Amino acid sequence: MSISVVVPVFNQVHLTERCLGSLLDNSILARELVVIDNKSNDSTPAFLKGFQKQTADKGWSMKVLANTENVGFGRACNQGIRAATGEYIAILNNDTWLMQGWDAALLRRINELGADMVGPYYDEGVFDAEATPVKAGEFVARNRNKFSDDWVSILMLFRRETLDEIGLFDERFFVTYEDADLRERMDRAGKKYFQVGDCYIWHFSKGTRDSQKLPSNYEQDGLRLFMEKWGFDPRIREKALSAKLRRKWKKIKATMGLF
């Protein structure tokens, strides 16, 4: 069962370096990486060129797709998915760090749960190169086999056949609501997705998005497009009392190292 990892990037080379370093060091099954560079103007292109040799030395296949302009998250992901060859597609934000065996854990859970997509537990606290791996191990030991029907877009492991069926990202969305649109299509197609306690990653909140000079109204434009397409405000899901109480309870459990 082959896993391809798709990572769109734009600047923030220090985050990309940490993300891809953890990917190379901590993957068990994944051996294909597709990075889409959305016209970075820092040292990202040079780093990716050097990183290709590291992946080759460790038996990986790495493709770098260099865009001549920033085409947005959804379109970049689609480029990577089309270039990937795996039966499973992992779409990964570059402002992350991955635990040891992340891929084996997600692959096991997507099959055990009969899911179409699974995502990890993510920590947005302070990253510590020594403490975070220990914390990840302790968290997974406590929460192995736990899951909830939550949507996680920071790292998504899909069955390729699911993406073939429901379609890829709607490229009219630039950097917001493209995942909400994909989730809506998943829901309407009766597809199953879960967040699982078997995989822990660290995430620098909005690290990728904050690297871009975006129009002041980019979120409003994404929301408008979603509402025109589907006829409702997706924020309703998050504003419901049940959703608020659920988030609060999850935060309390997280402080205790529980999923």
Side-chain angles (χ1 to χ4, degrees), residues 167-183:
L168 305 183
F169 288 97
D170 185 335
E171 296 181 4
R172 292 177 296 172
F173 296 94
F174 191 72
V175 292
T176 56
Y177 292 98
E178 71 285 324
D179 60 321
D181 173 76
L182 188 61
R183 177 182 181 179

Side-chain angles (χ1 to χ4, degrees), residues 178-197:
E178 71 285 324
D179 60 321
D181 173 76
L182 188 61
R183 177 182 181 179
E184 186 63 23
R185 285 186 278 135
M186 293 270 287
D187 286 340
R188 294 185 182 225
K191 301 302 182 183
K192 296 192 295 183
Y193 50 83
F194 300 100
Q195 181 183 32
V196 299

Side-chain angles (χ1 to χ4, degrees), residues 3 5 14 18 41 63-64 69 77 112 129 142 145 149 152 155 159 184 201 205 213 220 223 229 239-240 245 253-254:
I3 299 175
V5 184
H14 62 291
R18 175 163 51 198
N41 51 33
K63 303 172 185 175
V64 176
E69 61 178 335
C77 285
E112 288 181 350
R142 292 191 197 100
N145 298 326
D149 58 347
V152 178
L155 166 57
R159 298 179 188 273
E184 186 63 23
I201 72 170
S205 181
K213 293 181 179 179
Q220 292 88 340
L223 177 61
K229 182 174 181 179
K239 292 180 178 179
L245 291 174
K253 289 195 293 183

Side-chain angles (χ1 to χ4, degrees), residues 148-164:
S148 63
D149 58 347
D150 289 320
W151 176 267
V152 178
S153 58
I154 300 164
L155 166 57
M156 301 179 280
L157 181 70
F158 286 95
R159 298 179 188 273
R160 178 181 281 277
E161 61 197 42
T162 297
L163 294 173
D164 289 342

Side-chain angles (χ1 to χ4, degrees), residues 1-4 81 86-91 106-118 156-168 182 186 191-194:
M1 295 183 180
S2 56
I3 299 175
S4 298
I81 294 167
E87 300 168 74
Y88 295 84
I89 305 293
I91 299 174
L106 291 182
L107 183 63
R108 177 175 67 87
R109 295 305 276 151
I110 198 173
N111 287 307
E112 288 181 350
L113 295 169
D116 297 281
M117 187 273 277
V118 291
M156 301 179 280
L157 181 70
F158 286 95
R159 298 179 188 273
R160 178 181 281 277
E161 61 197 42
T162 297
L163 294 173
D164 289 342
E165 181 179 343
I166 67 170
L168 305 183
L182 188 61
M186 293 270 287
K191 301 302 182 183
K192 296 192 295 183
Y193 50 83
F194 300 100

